[in-house]
Structure formats: structure tokens, C-alpha cells
Amino acid sequence: MADVIAIWACLLEAASESEDRGNPGVPDFESMDFALGLEEGVAERVYGLMRDRALIAKETGRLAAWERRQPKREREDDRGTERKRRQRERETVKAVAGGDASPNHRGLPTVAPTAEGENGAEKTVSSPRQAGGSTDGEARTSTKAGAVCKAILAKGVTDVNPSHPTLRALVDKGVAVDVFEQAAEVCTKASPPKGMAYLLSIVTRQLREAEGIDEGPGMPVAAWDQTRTSIEAKAEELGIGRWNEADLSATREQWHTYLARVRAAVAREASHA
């Protein structure tokens, strides 16, 4: 079940980012298996079962019921969409004629794209590049968050949510999966057992304490193997370099193997000190 949830989350993310919203396209199953820590071929088999269960349209590859689950503004009929397009064109011409729009470096008016708000009025929206967003970065965060959810679900924390903003922020900071797993063990052993919110508070507190120790004057340095960021920093210090996450070859080095290699190098350095 954890594998299925993680794969479905990846498909939802791809469908949301696609130009044809609701259609994730043909997934890169090998990359998905690697990113989620699955055995080779699992993602493709699950995808096929989803198509058999009509969760994915066999003819088009679209996710079933995508439109029904979207906000009303994304479910306009073709006629309404065409009316909005003509209205935006008229407003653009009006802005150019009235000199309201600011010129860009080519002397042409720059008009921000608009979208219909819930009250029917139009509002200015920024493109991902204008907002400083990164589609690739968001996709990587999503797959890593899915892997974390799979790991803590296996430990017994059931109310997982790969879209949780705190989880995504911690993943962006480089917190390793094993840190979440350790917090999950604390949650499941509690009486009564705790959920994901409590788990995230544990990891957040640990991260803040580690950062505070690292920055505090006269305080000991935080353990180097607490987060992925600190592990890779230690590896670079020892000349090993960062873990090659993009390597999808059959002989790729798994994270646990990389970590063991870094720890062995640290031990050798300590013995020679």
C-alpha cells in the first residue's frame, strides 16, 4: 500500500505540472523505482494495475476524475474559456492603448497573465519563473517526500502526507530518511501512538537543536552524520564527493553503501590522527 500511495503521488505531481493538466504522460518507471527505493519494475506493474482499475484512462493516459476534483475555475466549459480568452485580449489592447502597461526592454507592453478568482473577478498571477519556482526542484522534493512517507508508514505511522509543507521543508534542508525513521519509532512506541504531526515536530526540533549547537559559540559541533547535507559535506571534506543521485545505471551506488563508505573514511582518518 505504501508503494502504491507513493507512485500515485508521483503521478499526481506530474499530472499537475503537465501542460495538458491531468495527463502525467508516459512515466519514467526506472527513475520512479530508483527515487522511491522500489525493486525494478514495481512502478510499471502498479501503473498497469491502475489502468486496469480505470484509475488511468487506457486510451489517453489521463488520470480519471481529474477535472471533477479540481476547483471550479479549472472546470469551465469551452465556451466560458473562450469568453475569458477574448476578455483578456480586449484588456491587453486597452492597456496598450492607454499606456497602462509598463514597457519591457523591447519597448513592448508587459501584461501579466490573469486567472479567474473564486468570486468571478480576475487576479494577476505570476509564472513559475517569475515567482522564482523550479519545476525540477519541486519534482525532486515530491519524490523524496514520497520516499520518506513510505519509510515512516513501514514503521507504523499511518497518517502520512507527502504534500505536508513541513515535511517538504525538512526534505529541502537535506534531512535524511533515517532521521524520519528514528522519529517514527519514537511515535509508534508512545502510549498512545503519535501521528505524523508529532513526528515532524520531533525532526524539526532536532534540526533546530543541531543548528543551534553548530552556531553557538564555544559549543561542540553537531554530529556530521545527522543529515544528508552534513554527510555529503563530510564526504567532500574527505575527497569522496557528493552522492551521485542522478546515476540510474545498474551499478549505481545506493545511499546506504555511500554512507558506509563515508563512515569508513571518517574512521580511518580518526585512527591516523
Side-chain angles (χ1 to χ4, degrees):
M1 180 60 69
D3 294 344
V4 173
I5 292 173
I7 292 169
W8 183 246
C10 291
L11 292 174
L12 289 174
E13 188 75 18
S16 178
E17 295 173 351
S18 172
E19 291 187 6
D20 178 16
R21 281 179 56 78
N23 191 337
V26 179
D28 183 346
F29 297 115
E30 184 178 2
S31 296
M32 194 180 296
D33 285 336
F34 175 68
L36 299 179
L38 306 175
E39 294 182 2
E40 186 176 354
V42 170
E44 186 171 7
R45 289 197 298 273
V46 171
Y47 180 85
L49 291 171
M50 288 177 175
R51 292 183 62 189
D52 293 341
R53 295 295 183 89
L55 293 174
I56 302 172
K58 293 184 179 180
E59 297 78 10
T60 63
R62 291 184 62 80
L63 302 187
W66 175 269
E67 285 75 13
R68 179 169 57 82
R69 295 174 180 273
Q70 303 310 305
K72 180 180 178 181
R73 60 179 175 272
E74 293 194 20
R75 291 187 276 112
E76 290 182 310
D77 58 18
D78 293 340
R79 186 176 301 175
T81 302
E82 179 63 20
R83 285 199 303 269
K84 297 305 297 182
R85 185 185 65 79
R86 290 198 299 267
Q87 179 183 350
R88 285 194 289 270
E89 289 177 350
R90 289 196 301 270
E91 291 178 351
T92 300
V93 172
K94 181 180 178 181
V96 174
D100 295 331
S102 58
N104 58 20
H105 68 283
R106 295 183 179 178
L108 300 175
T110 302
V111 180
T114 57
E116 184 181 358
E118 293 181 0
N119 60 359
E122 290 204 344
K123 58 182 181 180
T124 302
V125 297
S126 300
S127 67
R129 293 187 182 276
Q130 290 173 327
S134 171
T135 300
D136 292 341
E138 291 175 0
R140 284 193 296 271
T141 298
S142 296
T143 54
K144 292 176 184 177
V148 169
C149 286
K150 174 190 171 185
I152 64 177
L153 185 60
K155 293 290 185 180
V157 178
T158 58
D159 59 334
V160 298
N161 177 11
S163 299
H164 197 292
T166 302
L167 171 62
R168 295 170 73 90
L170 291 169
V171 168
D172 283 337
K173 284 182 174 291
V175 179
V177 175
D178 58 352
V179 175
F180 291 97
E181 289 178 321
Q182 292 169 7
E185 292 176 356
V186 174
C187 292
T188 54
K189 291 178 181 177
S191 181
K194 306 295 184 180
M196 185 173 181
Y198 190 81
L199 181 150
L200 294 176
S201 68
I202 293 176
V203 178
T204 300
R205 185 180 68 250
Q206 290 175 340
L207 181 62
R208 288 175 179 170
E209 289 174 352
E211 291 174 344
I213 291 174
D214 190 39
E215 296 174 0
M219 297 296 290
V221 178
W224 64 268
D225 59 351
Q226 293 300 303
T227 67
R228 174 174 171 177
T229 301
S230 61
I231 292 169
E232 291 186 324
K234 174 60 72 173
E236 290 186 319
E237 178 185 325
L238 296 173
I240 296 175
R242 301 172 67 85
W243 180 50
N244 188 3
E245 184 179 13
D247 181 10
L248 301 178
S249 66
T251 58
R252 59 181 175 264
E253 181 180 39
Q254 300 291 341
W255 169 257
H256 63 85
T257 305
Y258 171 82
L259 178 56
R261 189 156 60 94
V262 177
R263 283 176 170 158
V266 171
R268 286 195 300 270
E269 183 184 58
S271 66
H272 295 154

